[in-house]
C-alpha cells in the first residue's frame, strides 16, 4: 500500500498520489494517461481526476501497480473496480492488470477461445483476478514470451491445469513447462496461433501471432506514444541488439494490426501502416544514428 509520507514531490495536490517506491514501469501511464505523468525516474500524478470515468481509470491503475506505489485518500470504492479486470482490448483479447513486480511490472493478456483460453505472460496471482478468469472459462494454455515475464505462471498453471509454452533457451525460468519450443521455428501451436522466434532481447525470446491480427510481443517491440512510432530498446536488450534487428526484419514480413507488449504502450494500426512502421524501425535499428535524427529526416 502506498505511503502518503513518501509522496514524490511532483504530485499535484489531491486524493491520488504516487510514492517513492515507484519503479517507473509505465503501467499507470498506459491505463490512465490523463492522470499520471512521467518523471525522471518515476511516475507521478500530473492532474487529479475529477470525472467518474477518469477516477475509475486511476483506480484501475492503482490496482495494476506492481509495487503498490499509488495511493488514494478519497472515498472511492476500490473493491468494486477489482471486478473490471481483465479489461477488454478488443474481443477476444483482454489486459489482465495486476502487473507483477516479479516481471518488473510487465503486462499480461488473456485471450478467450472456444477450444481453450490463453494467458500470455503472467500477472500477479491474486484472488479477484483468478475468480474472474475462472468465470471466463479458465486457462488452457500459458504462452511465455521469455524469462523476464513469467511472474506467477507456475501458480496459474497449477491452479488451472494449464499447458505452459516456452522456448528451450528460456526454460531455466520455468523448468516444469509442459511444452518446450526448440530451434528457430516458427511453430503452429493451434489453428490461428503462431509462435515466432525473435531472439535478441534474450536468447530464446518469442512472440505470439494470433489470427494474423494480434501480436503479443513481450519485450521485443512496443509503441513510443510520444514519438508516435514503433520502438525497441537497446538499453534493455540483454542478449544481442544486432540479432534483435534481424528478428525484427523477419517479423516485418508478417501481417498484424495490434502490437501488445509486455513492457511499453500497445497500439492498433492498419496492417499496411504497421508493416511500413516495422520497416522504418528495422532501418533505424541497423543504423547508428540517434532516433531523434533518424526519424526527423
Amino acid at each position: 500500500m502506498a505511503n502518503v509520507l513518501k509522496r514524490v514531490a511532483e504530485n499535484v495536490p489531491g486524493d491520488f498520489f504516487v510514492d517513492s517506491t515507484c519503479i517507473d514501469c509505465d503501467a499507470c501511464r498506459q491505463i490512465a494517461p490523463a492522470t499520471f505523468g512521467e518523471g525522471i525516474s518515476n511516475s507521478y500524478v500530473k492532474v487529479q481526476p475529477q470525472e467518474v470515468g477518469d477516477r475509475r481509470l486511476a483506480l484501475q491503475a492503482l490496482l495494476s501497480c506492481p509495487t503498490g506505489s499509488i495511493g488514494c485518500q478519497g472515498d472511492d470504492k476500490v473493491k468494486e473496480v477489482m471486478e473490471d479486470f481483465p479489461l477488454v482490448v478488443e474481443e477476444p483479447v483482454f489486459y489482465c492488470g495486476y502487473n507483477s513486480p516479479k516481471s518488473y511490472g510487465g503486462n499480461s493478456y488473456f485471450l478467450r477461445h472456444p477450444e481453450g483460453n490463453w494467458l500470455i505472460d503472467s500477472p500477479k496471482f491474486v484472488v479477484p483476478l483468478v475468480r474472474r478468469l475462472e468465470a471466463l472459462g479458465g486457462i488452457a494454455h500459458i504462452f511465455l514470451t521469455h524469462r523476464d515475464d513469467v511472474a506467477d505462471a507456475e501458480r496459474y498453471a497449477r491452479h488451472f491445469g494449464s499447458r505452459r509454452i516456452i522456448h528451450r533457451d528460456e526454460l531455466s525460468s520455468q523448468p516444469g513447462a509442459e511444452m518446450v519450443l526448440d530451434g528457430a521455428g516458427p511453430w503452429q501451436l493451434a489453428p490461428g496461433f503462431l509462435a515466432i522466434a525473435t531472439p535478441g532481447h534474450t536468447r530464446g525470446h518469442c512472440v505470439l501471432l494470433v489470427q494474423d491480427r494480434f501480436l503479443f510481443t513481450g519485450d521485443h517491440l512496443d509503441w513510443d506514444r510520444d514519438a508516435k512510432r514503433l520502438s525497441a530498446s537497446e538499453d534493455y536488450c540483454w542478449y544481442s541488439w544486432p540479432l534483435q534487428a534481424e528478428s525484427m526484419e523477419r517479423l516485418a514480413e508478417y501481417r498484424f494490426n495490434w502490437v501488445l507488449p509486455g513492457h511499453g504502450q500497445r497500439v492498433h494500426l492498419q496492417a499496411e501502416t504497421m508493416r511500413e512502421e516495422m520497416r522504418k524501425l528495422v532501418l533505424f535499428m541497423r543504423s547508428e544514428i540517434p532516433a531523434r535524427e533518424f526519424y526527423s529526416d
Side-chain angles (χ1 to χ4, degrees):
M1 181 176 291
N3 186 338
V4 69
L5 299 178
K6 296 182 179 180
R7 295 172 63 121
V8 297
E10 297 97 324
N11 290 303
V12 298
D15 292 339
F16 284 88
F17 65 93
V18 177
D19 76 14
S20 59
T21 63
C22 172
I23 59 174
D24 199 26
C25 73
D26 192 55
C28 66
R29 304 193 295 267
Q30 295 170 35
I31 298 168
T35 297
F36 298 97
E38 182 177 5
I40 296 174
S41 60
N42 56 265
S43 293
Y44 67 96
V45 176
K46 63 179 182 181
V47 177
Q48 289 290 337
Q50 303 299 326
E51 302 298 325
V52 172
D54 290 337
R55 292 187 76 86
R56 194 155 193 114
L57 289 174
L59 290 171
Q60 290 172 356
L62 182 155
L63 289 170
S64 295
C65 176
T67 49
S69 302
I70 299 173
C72 178
Q73 296 179 293
D75 57 1
D76 304 79
K77 295 179 174 59
V78 178
K79 286 188 177 180
E80 292 182 2
V81 182
M82 291 178 179
E83 296 299 313
D84 292 355
F85 294 97
L87 303 172
V88 66
V89 175
E90 179 188 295
E91 287 281 4
V93 173
F94 298 76
Y95 159 63
C96 291
Y98 295 101
N99 295 31
S100 173
K102 297 175 184 176
S103 61
Y104 204 82
N107 300 319
S108 59
Y109 303 91
F110 175 78
L111 189 150
R112 297 179 71 179
H113 194 273
E115 301 301 320
N117 298 330
W118 291 68
L119 184 68
I120 296 90
D121 289 330
S122 173
K124 289 179 186 174
F125 190 92
V126 292
V127 171
L129 180 60
V130 170
R131 287 176 177 168
R132 288 287 297 131
L133 297 179
E134 288 172 345
L136 290 168
I139 301 167
H141 316 280
I142 301 175
F143 182 83
L144 299 169
T145 58
H146 68 300
R147 65 180 61 250
D148 297 344
D149 291 355
V150 300
D152 289 335
E154 184 177 0
R155 290 190 67 184
Y156 277 99
R158 187 165 61 248
H159 182 84
F160 287 103
S162 314
R163 175 184 68 154
R164 288 166 292 169
I165 306 165
I166 195 168
H167 195 278
R168 185 169 301 280
D169 289 332
E170 308 294 302
L171 189 57
S172 61
S173 66
Q174 284 290 282
E178 290 73 22
M179 181 176 181
V180 180
L181 305 176
D182 277 299
W187 305 267
Q188 195 76 46
L189 304 179
F193 288 75
L194 185 69
I196 303 167
T198 50
H201 172 75
T202 59
R203 184 174 180 174
H205 193 288
C206 294
V207 301
L208 180 65
L209 177 61
V210 178
Q211 300 167 355
D212 292 331
R213 182 166 182 80
F214 304 101
L215 186 70
F216 300 94
T217 62
D219 290 353
H220 180 70
L221 172 68
D222 70 315
W223 179 255
D224 186 325
R225 60 176 170 267
D226 296 320
K228 302 292 189 294
R229 59 178 174 81
L230 291 174
S231 178
S233 175
E234 186 172 8
D235 290 341
Y236 294 99
C237 179
W238 311 132
Y239 183 63
S240 169
W241 183 245
L243 192 56
Q244 189 168 343
E246 290 180 15
S247 297
M248 199 74 73
E249 186 171 24
R250 290 193 302 274
L251 190 60
E253 298 307 311
Y254 291 88
R255 183 181 180 87
F256 50 92
N257 299 94
W258 277 100
V259 165
L260 299 162
H263 287 93
Q265 184 69 45
R266 62 178 178 256
V267 69
H268 173 270
L269 299 172
Q270 294 298 317
E272 290 308 314
T273 303
M274 185 73 78
R275 179 163 290 177
E276 181 59 29
E277 290 296 321
M278 285 290 292
R279 289 170 177 164
K280 289 179 185 177
L281 177 57
V282 171
L283 290 174
F284 162 66
M285 293 176 72
R286 292 190 178 282
S287 75
E288 296 183 359
I289 304 172
R292 63 180 180 277
E293 296 178 19
F294 180 88
Y295 284 98
S296 64
D297 292 340

